[in-house]
Amino acid sequence: MLTKVFGSAVFGVEATTITVEVNVDRGVGYHLVGLPDNAIKESNYRIAAALLNNGYKIPGKKITINMAPADLRKEGSAYDLTLALGILTASGQIQSENLEKYIIMGELSLDGSLQPIKGALPIAIKAREEGFKGFILPKDNAKEAAIVSDLKVFGIANIKEVIDFFDTGIPLEQTIVDTRAEFYKNLDFPEFDFSDVKGQESIKRCMEIAAAGGHNIILIGPPGAGKTMLAKRLPSILPPMTLQEALETTKIHSVVGKIKNMGLMSQRPFRSPHHTISDVALVGGGAYPQPGEISLSHNGVLFLDELPEFKRGVLEVMRQPLEDREVTISRARFTVTYPSSFMLVASMNPSPGGYFNDPDAPVTSSPAEMQRYLGKISGPLLDRIDIHIEVTPVPFEKLSEDRKGEGSVEIRKRVTAARELQTERFKGLENVHYNAQMNTKQIREHCSLHDASKALLKNAMERLNLSARAYDRILKVARTIADLENMAEVSGNHISEAIQYRSLDREGWLG
């Protein structure tokens, strides 16, 4: 007897429906075809034990299973439940006329209980697109899949529940999520707040500008100056995620299985990988491609602490995704693209000893050592970082103050207002949403200067020995400063402030 059951495979952040054809006939044998990986090939052992422990069995006949399309590689243990139901139906142990109306996925334990799967959200989106009546999956993934409207989602704890549903009509409990209500309910304020930061007013101002324009930023200062503390608080002043951004972000995290028992992500992600990370772990890839840290940071912040300690090759592979805001991974049979629109926040010591710009500490590294240390970061990478800011330790008087600084709520209001101006400015442009994304043509259009401002910028570049690449970056940052003040034109004051944020472009910065 031939039976068809439907599952799904995830490639990149999109799903593809897999038709599982099960045929039980006279003879002996178990034949699984259609490019399954080892985890799928081992499924017959898990299925046999799970069925036996629930009063069923794998028939002692010839079982042929085809996973179509047969030229597409399938991976993972999430097909256990799909295969098991196909075998039970094809062997006549259960009767079901509705099996083909559902997408069915789940990993079986030996007692028949279901383990969570990866990619439940993109699978649910694809199931709705293709007109399936419902999606049956492990209970831990039900809330995640139920984000998708117009699709019945049933979370189950044990294979017996789904057997009873198809064989005897015992109903399953549908998981229902009001996506918008869930999104706004979980739109809590981030854990860290800028009101906890003592002193560092100029750095907080710099972080506000970076958030308002989506600018990448690097913090340079000695150990203990507060670089990491400041970086962790940056998401708290970024504009709240839109529903569309939340769906995009949740989809990526779903693919790597990080949404267990959760609904929609409503907080901007903050990722902080260790400096020993490999290039594949950072940008994504592998034999079966998975998103890397830059994609898990999509719509959020990627924090690289101690930037020069990262392998140069790892940093170099990040250059193109920083520019394109997506990463494409090619393999012989297929190509996947992951979104990677994130704010890069990096931090570093100014020298190997760490105390070069600390006025109270002795200089322990020679100029040559400091130059070599800074040289670990390539010019093209620095070229993609708009703001460089020096961070110095907070004096005791400031640390011991009882008065709290300005909180993230107030700063976020100004940032959000500036972003709204930019959204209006770039309306109709596909790949430009905020100032940091402007190309040369758009910079000339939106950052025009009066003669006095031009003279100021020319004088500053000559006197401070600023490099040519600093020119566009200064104009972008100045445009953001003007937006924070709700000014239509970029003035000399905005240029003056923006010039301060190009420390690493100054020749002789290392003394």
Side-chain angles (χ1 to χ4, degrees), residues 330-349:
S330 297
R331 293 293 178 265
R333 289 179 176 271
F334 59 90
T335 298
V336 297
T337 298
Y338 296 112
S340 60
S341 181
F342 60 91
M343 271 186 68
L344 174 64
V345 180
S347 75
M348 61 177 286
N349 296 330

Side-chain angles (χ1 to χ4, degrees), residues 228-259:
T228 302
M229 180 183 69
L230 287 159
K232 284 183 176 179
R233 281 156 178 76
L234 182 60
S236 71
I237 62 172
L238 289 172
M241 278 211 288
T242 63
L243 185 58
Q244 181 60 38
E245 287 177 328
L247 283 166
E248 288 175 2
T249 307
T250 306
K251 204 172 177 183
I252 298 168
H253 285 250
S254 171
V255 169
V256 293
K258 294 184 179 292
I259 310 291

Side-chain angles (χ1 to χ4, degrees), residues 43 120 124 133 148-149 156 168 172 182 197 205 230 252 271 326 358 360 371 433 438 448 462 510:
S43 63
K133 183 178 179 180
V148 180
S149 58
I156 61 169
T168 62
L172 293 173
E182 186 79 11
V197 178
R205 164 69 174 171
L230 287 159
I252 298 168
R271 306 290 298 181
E326 64 179 22
D358 186 348
D360 300 321
Q371 188 66 56
H433 306 287
M438 286 191 291
S448 57
E462 290 173 351
L510 295 175

Side-chain angles (χ1 to χ4, degrees), residues 104-115:
I104 303 170
M105 298 290 286
E107 177 189 334
L108 284 170
S109 295
L110 300 187
D111 62 355
S113 59
L114 272 292
Q115 300 297 320

Side-chain angles (χ1 to χ4, degrees), residues 176-293:
I176 299 173
V177 171
D178 185 332
T179 305
R180 290 188 178 275
E182 186 79 11
F183 173 67
Y184 291 112
K185 182 185 77 174
N186 293 328
L187 204 60
D188 296 326
F189 209 71
E191 177 184 358
F192 301 106
D193 194 285
F194 267 106
S195 63
D196 301 326
V197 178
K198 299 291 182 70
Q200 304 287 30
E201 296 304 322
S202 61
I203 315 300
K204 288 171 70 174
R205 164 69 174 171
C206 192
M207 301 289 272
E208 179 180 339
I209 294 167
H215 302 287
N216 299 323
I217 181 173
I218 184 167
L219 308 172
I220 311 142
K227 303 186 294 295
T228 302
M229 180 183 69
L230 287 159
K232 284 183 176 179
R233 281 156 178 76
L234 182 60
S236 71
I237 62 172
L238 289 172
M241 278 211 288
T242 63
L243 185 58
Q244 181 60 38
E245 287 177 328
L247 283 166
E248 288 175 2
T249 307
T250 306
K251 204 172 177 183
I252 298 168
H253 285 250
S254 171
V255 169
V256 293
K258 294 184 179 292
I259 310 291
K260 293 176 185 174
N261 224 5
M262 288 173 54
L264 200 61
M265 288 181 65
S266 54
Q267 297 293 331
R268 293 190 181 273
F270 179 87
R271 306 290 298 181
S272 180
H274 192 260
H275 61 76
T276 56
I277 192 171
S278 68
D279 52 354
V280 170
L282 185 67
V283 302
Y288 304 115
Q290 289 282 294
E293 290 291 337

Side-chain angles (χ1 to χ4, degrees), residues 309-373:
E309 300 301 329
F310 285 79
K311 299 188 196 105
R312 184 166 178 135
V314 170
L315 296 178
E316 292 306 296
V317 296
M318 193 172 62
R319 280 164 44 187
Q320 186 177 355
L322 269 172
E323 198 73 27
D324 298 342
R325 301 191 178 270
E326 64 179 22
V327 57
T328 300
I329 299 162
S330 297
R331 293 293 178 265
R333 289 179 176 271
F334 59 90
T335 298
V336 297
T337 298
Y338 296 112
S340 60
S341 181
F342 60 91
M343 271 186 68
L344 174 64
V345 180
S347 75
M348 61 177 286
N349 296 330
S351 64
Y355 294 96
F356 172 68
N357 63 343
D358 186 348
D360 300 321
V363 176
T364 57
S365 303
S366 69
E369 288 175 324
M370 290 191 283
Q371 188 66 56
R372 189 162 54 248
Y373 177 75

